[in-house]
Amino acid sequence: MTVEGIGYINECLESIEIPYEFKEWTSSTIPDTYWVGDYIDVPIVNESGESESTFILTGTTKNKYLELETMKEQIEVMFPYYGRTDILENGNGIAITFTNAQPLPSVEVGVRRIQVNLNVKEYRGN
């Protein structure tokens, strides 16, 4: 996954006011509900210039679980099943699709978590 692709996802989540940071929450104030992202690259098996990744968003809240479900739906609308496509500043194309979601167990009492998986394909422009 490219730095530009990670930045694009950040911009999309900011536009729908999802409190998000890549890898870990680093801001000094930790909100009651926040999301962090990570990714897994899929090996490239051809020379087409296409790369593929699974982008994993993990939502955490001290509030009701419904808050995470509401944000999950916002994310699903942002990255629909038919894909959100765009051209990045570096000239590469990107297509992002909501794949699935699942509640996650939490070891901390009163903390609720959910995982959202996005499929990300990037295409070299040159």
Side-chain angles (χ1 to χ4, degrees), residues 40-51:
I40 300 169
D41 281 333
V42 176
I44 299 173
V45 294
N46 60 44
E47 298 176 6
S48 69
E50 175 186 321
S51 64

Side-chain angles (χ1 to χ4, degrees), residues 2-33:
T2 65
V3 172
E4 291 82 4
I6 293 168
Y8 180 77
I9 291 171
N10 183 61
E11 291 170 12
C12 290
L13 295 174
E14 278 183 0
S15 75
I16 56 174
E17 299 180 354
I18 300 288
Y20 161 81
E21 287 193 27
F22 182 67
K23 288 297 286 177
E24 63 182 330
W25 193 265
T26 60
S27 298
S28 58
T29 304
I30 301 174
D32 285 346
T33 303

